[in-house]
Every structure is written in structure tokens, then in C-alpha cells.
Amino acid sequence: MRIVTGEEINELCDLKAVMESQSKVFKNFAEGKAFLGPRAVLSQGENAQFSYLARASSAGPTIVKFGTVFPGNSGSSFPVVQTSILVLSPENGSVEYSFDGETVTKLRTVAASMVAAKVLASPEINSIAVVGLGHQGLAHAKAFRELYPHTKLIGVSKEAKPNDVFDEVTTDIKKTQDAELVLLATSSTNPVMREINRGVTALSIGSFAPNRSEVSAEAVKSADLIVVDDVLTSKSQCGSIINANQDDLLEVESLGNIILSGKSRTDENQRIFYFSVGLGIQDAALVELILERL
């Protein structure tokens, strides 16, 4: 079994290529060309454990991903999110590779968010806010800086520590009201966004389990368009979607269908949400890209 380290993965990947891999696999999934096994999540207080199987293409390898989310690890020697990815041979079923799961997760989550931003947000963005400055928040901020080099970038965190990536770092959540594009990366059990202004696109990556809800039900229901990585998964696993869909009438679109149809923002005043719980096909797509470059 070959172990692929985080350092190797980072050296082999660039943002543009990873974005292309994510856009492609979302389209494949919408067309039935990528395959996702049922996602298992066990909540344990504020903690969660998860696992799933996936394949990004018919002939590609199957990946097995499992891990934990322990918010209490913040500031300790242990990561908040700990994951492992095993790659199974499509020829004999043996475990051929073991990938550093945290690196793969970070890269594919960031890239998917950038794809969603490019598809759903207004072309003209004057300000971007990132709420939650952990590993994912900072990784997203660096990607935003690469894709939107001249846009004001605001960081919102419980501790307003200066950071060179941002033009401004604050503890004031109201600063998000000045931004046309907002990323929520908090893994909070209580809503940090209770309303969304007209013209805003909000990307939530922290509502990844039933007990995680970064966005209030009222804010979700006020949206003109709600986009998710997968409709069935989001309705059973995304806390913000679950809370807003108690009557089972909430209309959501998959990102893959949005990309395939060419539909996106039709009005600069639309309120748009994108929720990502994270899909195994995303990991599998990035694994395929890395295997091509090894």
C-alpha cells in the first residue's frame, strides 16, 4: 500500500485543476456517471463521526473515507476534523493507497466552494466575508484572494487576530452585511447567519450534520435559490436544510444540475444559498486527479 502524504498532495495540486475536477464530478453525478454510497453520520453531543464510499467515474477506483469532527479540539494538538481515505483497486479490490484525508478534504471543499461562487455569485463583487477562521476558513480566504485579487476580503472570528490574507479582521458578524459573497465555515450548532440581504450569495460549509446549523430556518426560507451538493444528502444530513424543511416543501437544486443547465443567478437582487455537507465523489475526483499526476 502506498501512502500519499499531505505534502505530496499539495505539490501535485493547483486551484484551477482541482476546481475543474470538482465541476466535472458534480456534472457526472447529475448525469449518473459518478457513484455515491449512503453517508453514515453518528452524532455524539457536539461531536460527529462519519464514513462513506464513492467513485468519481465508472472505471475509476472506489474510495473509502472515514473520520471525525471534534470542535473541542480547536486550539489543541489535535485537528477539529480528522479523516482517512483508502483507495481500493478496481482490478482486485485490494487497498492500493492511503491518502492524507485532511489535505484532500480541505482542497476539494475549497475548490467546490470556488466553483459555486463562480456559478452563483454576481460577476461584480466588491466585498467578500469569511466567517470562521479555522483551517477551512483560512484556506477559503486564500483561494478567494487568488480568484478575486482586487476584492475587499473581511475575516470574522471570535478573536480578531490580524492576518495578512485579509484587508480587515473583526469580531463583528454585522460586517457580513457589507459583503456580496459570504462564506460560513464555523461548524456551529446554532445559527450565525439569521438573515441574508438582497444580492448576497452565502456559502455554508459548516452545516454538514443534522446537529450543525450555521443558518437560521427563516434565512434559508427567505432565499430565492437554494443550491446543495446533493439534494437527498442535504435533506437528511444538513442541519440548516433540515430545520427549514420541517414541512418537506423546501425547494433545493443540486450544484451539478445548476452547472449542467447553465442556470445561475438571474437577478442581481437574488438571495442565494449554497450548502455543502461534503460528498465522497468530491474526494474520489481529487484522488483520480492526484493518481494521474503521481
PDB file of all heavy atoms in Angstrom, residues 64-88:
ATOM      1  N   VAL A  64     -12.793   4.811   0.174  1.00  0.00           N
ATOM      2  CA  VAL A  64     -13.466   4.671   1.458  1.00  0.00           C
ATOM      3  C   VAL A  64     -12.954   5.796   2.339  1.00  0.00           C
ATOM      4  O   VAL A  64     -11.750   5.907   2.566  1.00  0.00           O
ATOM      5  CB  VAL A  64     -13.161   3.324   2.141  1.00  0.00           C
ATOM      6  CG1 VAL A  64     -13.907   3.222   3.461  1.00  0.00           C
ATOM      7  CG2 VAL A  64     -13.499   2.163   1.219  1.00  0.00           C
ATOM      8  N   LYS A  65     -13.856   6.638   2.801  1.00  0.00           N
ATOM      9  CA  LYS A  65     -13.445   7.754   3.652  1.00  0.00           C
ATOM     10  C   LYS A  65     -14.148   7.640   5.001  1.00  0.00           C
ATOM     11  O   LYS A  65     -15.339   7.346   5.067  1.00  0.00           O
ATOM     12  CB  LYS A  65     -13.787   9.094   3.007  1.00  0.00           C
ATOM     13  CG  LYS A  65     -13.316  10.302   3.819  1.00  0.00           C
ATOM     14  CD  LYS A  65     -13.560  11.606   3.085  1.00  0.00           C
ATOM     15  CE  LYS A  65     -13.038  12.790   3.873  1.00  0.00           C
ATOM     16  NZ  LYS A  65     -13.234  14.066   3.160  1.00  0.00           N
ATOM     17  N   PHE A  66     -13.398   7.879   6.061  1.00  0.00           N
ATOM     18  CA  PHE A  66     -13.991   7.889   7.391  1.00  0.00           C
ATOM     19  C   PHE A  66     -13.248   8.911   8.243  1.00  0.00           C
ATOM     20  O   PHE A  66     -12.086   9.241   7.977  1.00  0.00           O
ATOM     21  CB  PHE A  66     -13.931   6.502   8.029  1.00  0.00           C
ATOM     22  CG  PHE A  66     -12.547   5.912   8.104  1.00  0.00           C
ATOM     23  CD1 PHE A  66     -11.760   6.058   9.237  1.00  0.00           C
ATOM     24  CD2 PHE A  66     -12.032   5.208   7.020  1.00  0.00           C
ATOM     25  CE1 PHE A  66     -10.489   5.511   9.306  1.00  0.00           C
ATOM     26  CE2 PHE A  66     -10.751   4.656   7.077  1.00  0.00           C
ATOM     27  CZ  PHE A  66      -9.986   4.807   8.225  1.00  0.00           C
ATOM     28  N   GLY A  67     -13.948   9.437   9.237  1.00  0.00           N
ATOM     29  CA  GLY A  67     -13.300  10.444  10.065  1.00  0.00           C
ATOM     30  C   GLY A  67     -14.185  10.947  11.183  1.00  0.00           C
ATOM     31  O   GLY A  67     -15.272  10.423  11.438  1.00  0.00           O
ATOM     32  N   THR A  68     -13.690  11.977  11.844  1.00  0.00           N
ATOM     33  CA  THR A  68     -14.387  12.564  12.988  1.00  0.00           C
ATOM     34  C   THR A  68     -14.335  14.080  12.916  1.00  0.00           C
ATOM     35  O   THR A  68     -13.445  14.663  12.281  1.00  0.00           O
ATOM     36  CB  THR A  68     -13.741  12.125  14.319  1.00  0.00           C
ATOM     37  OG1 THR A  68     -12.367  12.585  14.343  1.00  0.00           O
ATOM     38  CG2 THR A  68     -13.765  10.629  14.474  1.00  0.00           C
ATOM     39  N   VAL A  69     -15.303  14.712  13.577  1.00  0.00           N
ATOM     40  CA  VAL A  69     -15.314  16.165  13.749  1.00  0.00           C
ATOM     41  C   VAL A  69     -15.471  16.444  15.234  1.00  0.00           C
ATOM     42  O   VAL A  69     -16.507  16.125  15.826  1.00  0.00           O
ATOM     43  CB  VAL A  69     -16.473  16.819  12.958  1.00  0.00           C
ATOM     44  CG1 VAL A  69     -16.417  18.341  13.122  1.00  0.00           C
ATOM     45  CG2 VAL A  69     -16.406  16.441  11.490  1.00  0.00           C
ATOM     46  N   PHE A  70     -14.452  17.018  15.848  1.00  0.00           N
ATOM     47  CA  PHE A  70     -14.450  17.325  17.274  1.00  0.00           C
ATOM     48  C   PHE A  70     -14.134  18.812  17.465  1.00  0.00           C
ATOM     49  O   PHE A  70     -12.966  19.200  17.537  1.00  0.00           O
ATOM     50  CB  PHE A  70     -13.409  16.468  18.010  1.00  0.00           C
ATOM     51  CG  PHE A  70     -13.887  15.107  18.410  1.00  0.00           C
ATOM     52  CD1 PHE A  70     -14.335  14.208  17.463  1.00  0.00           C
ATOM     53  CD2 PHE A  70     -13.906  14.727  19.740  1.00  0.00           C
ATOM     54  CE1 PHE A  70     -14.791  12.951  17.816  1.00  0.00           C
ATOM     55  CE2 PHE A  70     -14.367  13.463  20.118  1.00  0.00           C
ATOM     56  CZ  PHE A  70     -14.813  12.577  19.157  1.00  0.00           C
ATOM     57  N   PRO A  71     -15.169  19.678  17.491  1.00  0.00           N
ATOM     58  CA  PRO A  71     -14.942  21.116  17.622  1.00  0.00           C
ATOM     59  C   PRO A  71     -14.102  21.485  18.850  1.00  0.00           C
ATOM     60  O   PRO A  71     -13.363  22.474  18.834  1.00  0.00           O
ATOM     61  CB  PRO A  71     -16.355  21.685  17.736  1.00  0.00           C
ATOM     62  CG  PRO A  71     -17.218  20.685  17.049  1.00  0.00           C
ATOM     63  CD  PRO A  71     -16.604  19.360  17.363  1.00  0.00           C
ATOM     64  N   GLY A  72     -14.196  20.686  19.917  1.00  0.00           N
ATOM     65  CA  GLY A  72     -13.440  20.973  21.124  1.00  0.00           C
ATOM     66  C   GLY A  72     -11.934  20.857  20.954  1.00  0.00           C
ATOM     67  O   GLY A  72     -11.168  21.298  21.819  1.00  0.00           O
ATOM     68  N   ASN A  73     -11.500  20.286  19.818  1.00  0.00           N
ATOM     69  CA  ASN A  73     -10.066  20.173  19.563  1.00  0.00           C
ATOM     70  C   ASN A  73      -9.428  21.482  19.123  1.00  0.00           C
ATOM     71  O   ASN A  73      -8.208  21.577  19.025  1.00  0.00           O
ATOM     72  CB  ASN A  73      -9.798  19.114  18.472  1.00  0.00           C
ATOM     73  CG  ASN A  73      -9.977  17.704  18.983  1.00  0.00           C
ATOM     74  OD1 ASN A  73     -10.086  17.476  20.185  1.00  0.00           O
ATOM     75  ND2 ASN A  73     -10.013  16.744  18.073  1.00  0.00           N
ATOM     76  N   SER A  74     -10.270  22.484  18.829  1.00  0.00           N
ATOM     77  CA  SER A  74      -9.737  23.775  18.384  1.00  0.00           C
ATOM     78  C   SER A  74      -8.756  24.330  19.411  1.00  0.00           C
ATOM     79  O   SER A  74      -9.052  24.424  20.593  1.00  0.00           O
ATOM     80  CB  SER A  74     -10.884  24.772  18.181  1.00  0.00           C
ATOM     81  OG  SER A  74     -10.391  26.014  17.750  1.00  0.00           O
ATOM     82  N   GLY A  75      -7.563  24.657  18.921  1.00  0.00           N
ATOM     83  CA  GLY A  75      -6.537  25.193  19.808  1.00  0.00           C
ATOM     84  C   GLY A  75      -5.686  24.139  20.476  1.00  0.00           C
ATOM     85  O   GLY A  75      -4.733  24.470  21.185  1.00  0.00           O
ATOM     86  N   SER A  76      -6.005  22.857  20.248  1.00  0.00           N
ATOM     87  CA  SER A  76      -5.230  21.774  20.851  1.00  0.00           C
ATOM     88  C   SER A  76      -4.281  21.180  19.809  1.00  0.00           C
ATOM     89  O   SER A  76      -4.198  21.656  18.675  1.00  0.00           O
ATOM     90  CB  SER A  76      -6.148  20.687  21.395  1.00  0.00           C
ATOM     91  OG  SER A  76      -6.687  19.911  20.336  1.00  0.00           O
ATOM     92  N   SER A  77      -3.600  20.126  20.176  1.00  0.00           N
ATOM     93  CA  SER A  77      -2.676  19.474  19.248  1.00  0.00           C
ATOM     94  C   SER A  77      -3.402  18.567  18.257  1.00  0.00           C
ATOM     95  O   SER A  77      -2.787  18.073  17.307  1.00  0.00           O
ATOM     96  CB  SER A  77      -1.640  18.651  20.026  1.00  0.00           C
ATOM     97  OG  SER A  77      -2.280  17.663  20.819  1.00  0.00           O
ATOM     98  N   PHE A  78      -4.704  18.364  18.445  1.00  0.00           N
ATOM     99  CA  PHE A  78      -5.485  17.530  17.548  1.00  0.00           C
ATOM    100  C   PHE A  78      -6.335  18.401  16.631  1.00  0.00           C
ATOM    101  O   PHE A  78      -6.939  19.381  17.077  1.00  0.00           O
ATOM    102  CB  PHE A  78      -6.409  16.588  18.337  1.00  0.00           C
ATOM    103  CG  PHE A  78      -5.677  15.548  19.137  1.00  0.00           C
ATOM    104  CD1 PHE A  78      -5.457  15.734  20.486  1.00  0.00           C
ATOM    105  CD2 PHE A  78      -5.214  14.399  18.527  1.00  0.00           C
ATOM    106  CE1 PHE A  78      -4.782  14.783  21.233  1.00  0.00           C
ATOM    107  CE2 PHE A  78      -4.548  13.429  19.259  1.00  0.00           C
ATOM    108  CZ  PHE A  78      -4.327  13.615  20.614  1.00  0.00           C
ATOM    109  N   PRO A  79      -6.436  18.050  15.325  1.00  0.00           N
ATOM    110  CA  PRO A  79      -7.288  18.811  14.409  1.00  0.00           C
ATOM    111  C   PRO A  79      -8.763  18.669  14.770  1.00  0.00           C
ATOM    112  O   PRO A  79      -9.170  17.658  15.355  1.00  0.00           O
ATOM    113  CB  PRO A  79      -7.007  18.174  13.046  1.00  0.00           C
ATOM    114  CG  PRO A  79      -5.749  17.392  13.219  1.00  0.00           C
ATOM    115  CD  PRO A  79      -5.713  16.964  14.652  1.00  0.00           C
ATOM    116  N   VAL A  80      -9.558  19.671  14.422  1.00  0.00           N
ATOM    117  CA  VAL A  80     -11.007  19.589  14.603  1.00  0.00           C
ATOM    118  C   VAL A  80     -11.568  18.467  13.735  1.00  0.00           C
ATOM    119  O   VAL A  80     -12.407  17.684  14.177  1.00  0.00           O
ATOM    120  CB  VAL A  80     -11.674  20.940  14.256  1.00  0.00           C
ATOM    121  CG1 VAL A  80     -13.199  20.785  14.240  1.00  0.00           C
ATOM    122  CG2 VAL A  80     -11.269  22.008  15.260  1.00  0.00           C
ATOM    123  N   VAL A  81     -11.100  18.393  12.489  1.00  0.00           N
ATOM    124  CA  VAL A  81     -11.535  17.345  11.563  1.00  0.00           C
ATOM    125  C   VAL A  81     -10.365  16.402  11.308  1.00  0.00           C
ATOM    126  O   VAL A  81      -9.269  16.837  10.958  1.00  0.00           O
ATOM    127  CB  VAL A  81     -12.009  17.941  10.222  1.00  0.00           C
ATOM    128  CG1 VAL A  81     -12.461  16.824   9.278  1.00  0.00           C
ATOM    129  CG2 VAL A  81     -13.148  18.931  10.445  1.00  0.00           C
ATOM    130  N   GLN A  82     -10.597  15.111  11.517  1.00  0.00           N
ATOM    131  CA  GLN A  82      -9.575  14.101  11.274  1.00  0.00           C
ATOM    132  C   GLN A  82     -10.161  13.048  10.331  1.00  0.00           C
ATOM    133  O   GLN A  82     -11.213  12.467  10.630  1.00  0.00           O
ATOM    134  CB  GLN A  82      -9.127  13.452  12.585  1.00  0.00           C
ATOM    135  CG  GLN A  82      -8.548  14.449  13.586  1.00  0.00           C
ATOM    136  CD  GLN A  82      -8.244  13.809  14.927  1.00  0.00           C
ATOM    137  OE1 GLN A  82      -7.308  13.046  15.065  1.00  0.00           O
ATOM    138  NE2 GLN A  82      -9.069  14.125  15.932  1.00  0.00           N
ATOM    139  N   THR A  83      -9.499  12.814   9.206  1.00  0.00           N
ATOM    140  CA  THR A  83     -10.047  11.891   8.217  1.00  0.00           C
ATOM    141  C   THR A  83      -8.954  11.018   7.600  1.00  0.00           C
ATOM    142  O   THR A  83      -7.780  11.390   7.573  1.00  0.00           O
ATOM    143  CB  THR A  83     -10.754  12.639   7.064  1.00  0.00           C
ATOM    144  OG1 THR A  83      -9.819  13.503   6.410  1.00  0.00           O
ATOM    145  CG2 THR A  83     -11.919  13.454   7.578  1.00  0.00           C
ATOM    146  N   SER A  84      -9.386   9.891   7.082  1.00  0.00           N
ATOM    147  CA  SER A  84      -8.510   8.990   6.337  1.00  0.00           C
ATOM    148  C   SER A  84      -9.232   8.554   5.073  1.00  0.00           C
ATOM    149  O   SER A  84     -10.460   8.399   5.069  1.00  0.00           O
ATOM    150  CB  SER A  84      -8.149   7.757   7.166  1.00  0.00           C
ATOM    151  OG  SER A  84      -7.421   8.113   8.325  1.00  0.00           O
ATOM    152  N   ILE A  85      -8.475   8.371   4.000  1.00  0.00           N
ATOM    153  CA  ILE A  85      -9.043   7.922   2.728  1.00  0.00           C
ATOM    154  C   ILE A  85      -8.243   6.736   2.216  1.00  0.00           C
ATOM    155  O   ILE A  85      -7.018   6.821   2.057  1.00  0.00           O
ATOM    156  CB  ILE A  85      -9.026   9.041   1.668  1.00  0.00           C
ATOM    157  CG1 ILE A  85      -9.922  10.204   2.099  1.00  0.00           C
ATOM    158  CG2 ILE A  85      -9.481   8.505   0.309  1.00  0.00           C
ATOM    159  CD1 ILE A  85      -9.848  11.408   1.189  1.00  0.00           C
ATOM    160  N   LEU A  86      -8.933   5.624   1.997  1.00  0.00           N
ATOM    161  CA  LEU A  86      -8.323   4.440   1.415  1.00  0.00           C
ATOM    162  C   LEU A  86      -8.812   4.287  -0.014  1.00  0.00           C
ATOM    163  O   LEU A  86      -9.994   4.537  -0.302  1.00  0.00           O
ATOM    164  CB  LEU A  86      -8.681   3.191   2.221  1.00  0.00           C
ATOM    165  CG  LEU A  86      -8.294   3.200   3.707  1.00  0.00           C
ATOM    166  CD1 LEU A  86      -8.740   1.899   4.362  1.00  0.00           C
ATOM    167  CD2 LEU A  86      -6.794   3.413   3.889  1.00  0.00           C
ATOM    168  N   VAL A  87      -7.919   3.898  -0.909  1.00  0.00           N
ATOM    169  CA  VAL A  87      -8.261   3.738  -2.319  1.00  0.00           C
ATOM    170  C   VAL A  87      -8.208   2.256  -2.665  1.00  0.00           C
ATOM    171  O   VAL A  87      -7.167   1.602  -2.491  1.00  0.00           O
ATOM    172  CB  VAL A  87      -7.288   4.532  -3.218  1.00  0.00           C
ATOM    173  CG1 VAL A  87      -7.695   4.398  -4.684  1.00  0.00           C
ATOM    174  CG2 VAL A  87      -7.260   6.005  -2.811  1.00  0.00           C
ATOM    175  N   LEU A  88      -9.337   1.729  -3.154  1.00  0.00           N
ATOM    176  CA  LEU A  88      -9.449   0.309  -3.475  1.00  0.00           C
ATOM    177  C   LEU A  88      -9.197   0.080  -4.959  1.00  0.00           C
ATOM    178  O   LEU A  88      -9.729   0.804  -5.806  1.00  0.00           O
ATOM    179  CB  LEU A  88     -10.839  -0.211  -3.096  1.00  0.00           C
ATOM    180  CG  LEU A  88     -11.307   0.087  -1.668  1.00  0.00           C
ATOM    181  CD1 LEU A  88     -12.691  -0.509  -1.446  1.00  0.00           C
ATOM    182  CD2 LEU A  88     -10.322  -0.445  -0.641  1.00  0.00           C
TER     183      LEU A  88
END
